[in-house]
Amino acid sequence: MSRFDHEAQTYDSRSGIPVDKRSEIVRSLTKLTGVAAGDVLLELGAGTGQLGACFPALGLRYVGLDASAPMLEVFERRRTAGDTSSTLIHANVDADWPVRSASVRAVFSSRAVHLFDLEHVVAETLRVALGPGATFTLGRLQRDANSVRSIMRREMRAMLTARGFVPRDGDRGQRRVLAAFRARGATALGPVAVATWPDHRSATNVLDAWRRKPGLGGCEPPGAAKAAILADLAEWTAARFGSLDAADAAQETYILEGVTLPAG
């Protein structure tokens, strides 16, 4: 069972990309990577298909891998009726990918690569890549460093560390995997900011979302420890900002960054 199974129905409300920005992001990805109609694009951690469902409209053949069957069920409902150019596969990205060698022009992962074994991602990407000119690209969200959510996130991670837990750093994971490709002769693509939108979530909204998500800070504290940390964080945040309910005036920006893979 995937850690994301139980939140498939609520994932988009917690971590959704605005509907009017999804096609914009996908078009920017195709421009950055040079993929064209008929090419195969493989997404690692396809999830509920917020972005994946947009690729077939551009003429691409899309393959999405995800370890959570409930997340893929949501994706399936999002697919356009009669779509025959996309394939969803229930598969663990940390196992051998059920994809033919030398068959994929672009490998993509949005906000998920830090959850996977990075060396395995590199090895399997190089196996399935159809070069020269094949690409590996990551998408991430960049938030205002002084936003309520960013300040709360830093304090939450400090609380996890103080209790002996080791939070994961998604940005660090992205840097590591891209550096591993460059060490094998890949050349950089981006980073490019491709979409921006306002983020008006209050501290209460942030806390509610973290209560619903699996784990905390990318690690898996026991339920009682997670609840205690979030209770302490709520108290700290109320003291820091004076209220948990004031809407923030921050922005979120979607960043694409990747590499062009070495020939062979």
Side-chain angles (χ1 to χ4, degrees):
M1 178 180 293
S2 166
R3 59 184 289 210
F4 290 95
D5 284 0
H6 76 280
E7 69 159 347
Q9 303 303 319
T10 60
Y11 179 81
D12 288 0
S13 64
R14 178 178 70 79
S15 298
I17 295 169
V19 173
D20 63 334
K21 298 296 182 179
R22 296 172 188 176
S23 293
E24 182 181 341
I25 291 169
V26 166
R27 288 194 300 270
S28 297
L29 175 63
T30 62
K31 182 177 180 180
L32 179 66
T33 61
V35 290
D39 287 340
V40 176
L41 181 141
L42 171 66
E43 183 175 8
L44 311 178
T48 61
Q50 293 178 42
L51 298 179
C54 300
F55 287 106
L58 302 179
L60 299 176
R61 291 183 290 160
Y62 172 88
V63 178
L65 306 184
D66 203 286
S68 172
M71 296 282 273
L72 291 179
E73 289 170 5
V74 176
F75 193 153
E76 186 67 42
R77 295 196 293 271
R78 178 170 268 140
R79 292 173 67 182
T80 303
D83 171 25
T84 59
S85 59
S86 60
T87 303
L88 306 182
I89 303 175
H90 181 211
N92 183 355
V93 173
D94 285 343
D96 292 344
W97 300 350
V99 179
R100 287 188 297 109
S101 298
S103 64
V104 174
R105 288 294 291 169
V107 178
F108 171 61
S109 188
S110 178
R111 304 181 292 169
V113 77
H114 62 287
L115 302 173
F116 310 136
D117 180 283
L118 300 186
E119 286 300 321
H120 185 71
V121 167
V122 172
E124 282 291 87
T125 295
L126 294 175
R127 178 184 67 80
V128 303
L130 175 62
T135 59
F136 176 88
T137 311
L138 299 174
R140 71 175 188 271
L141 281 183
Q142 181 174 290
R143 299 179 174 92
D144 293 346
N146 293 321
S147 69
V148 169
R149 188 186 188 284
S150 293
I151 292 170
M152 291 175 66
R153 179 178 181 271
R154 291 194 290 270
E155 182 63 21
M156 175 265 288
R157 294 171 68 84
M159 289 181 174
L160 281 166
T161 300
R163 288 165 170 81
F165 301 106
V166 182
R168 286 187 178 183
D169 187 327
D171 290 346
R172 182 180 300 170
Q174 289 206 357
R175 292 193 297 271
R176 284 180 55 209
V177 73
L178 293 176
F181 279 114
R182 291 194 298 269
R184 290 162 173 79
T187 57
L189 286 174
V192 181
V194 298
T196 301
W197 55 87
D199 178 18
H200 297 313
R201 285 174 292 186
S202 67
T204 293
N205 299 147
V206 174
L207 289 165
D208 287 346
W210 286 347
R211 290 185 186 103
R212 296 196 306 269
K213 70 179 290 187
L216 191 65
C219 59
E220 300 287 340
K226 176 180 175 178
I229 290 170
L230 290 178
D232 288 349
L233 182 63
E235 183 178 348
W236 180 90
T237 303
R240 171 70 168 74
F241 295 103
S243 171
L244 294 178
D245 297 320
D248 202 1
Q251 284 192 327
E252 293 186 324
T253 301
Y254 195 91
I255 308 290
L256 291 173
E257 185 172 9
V259 291
T260 299
L261 300 172

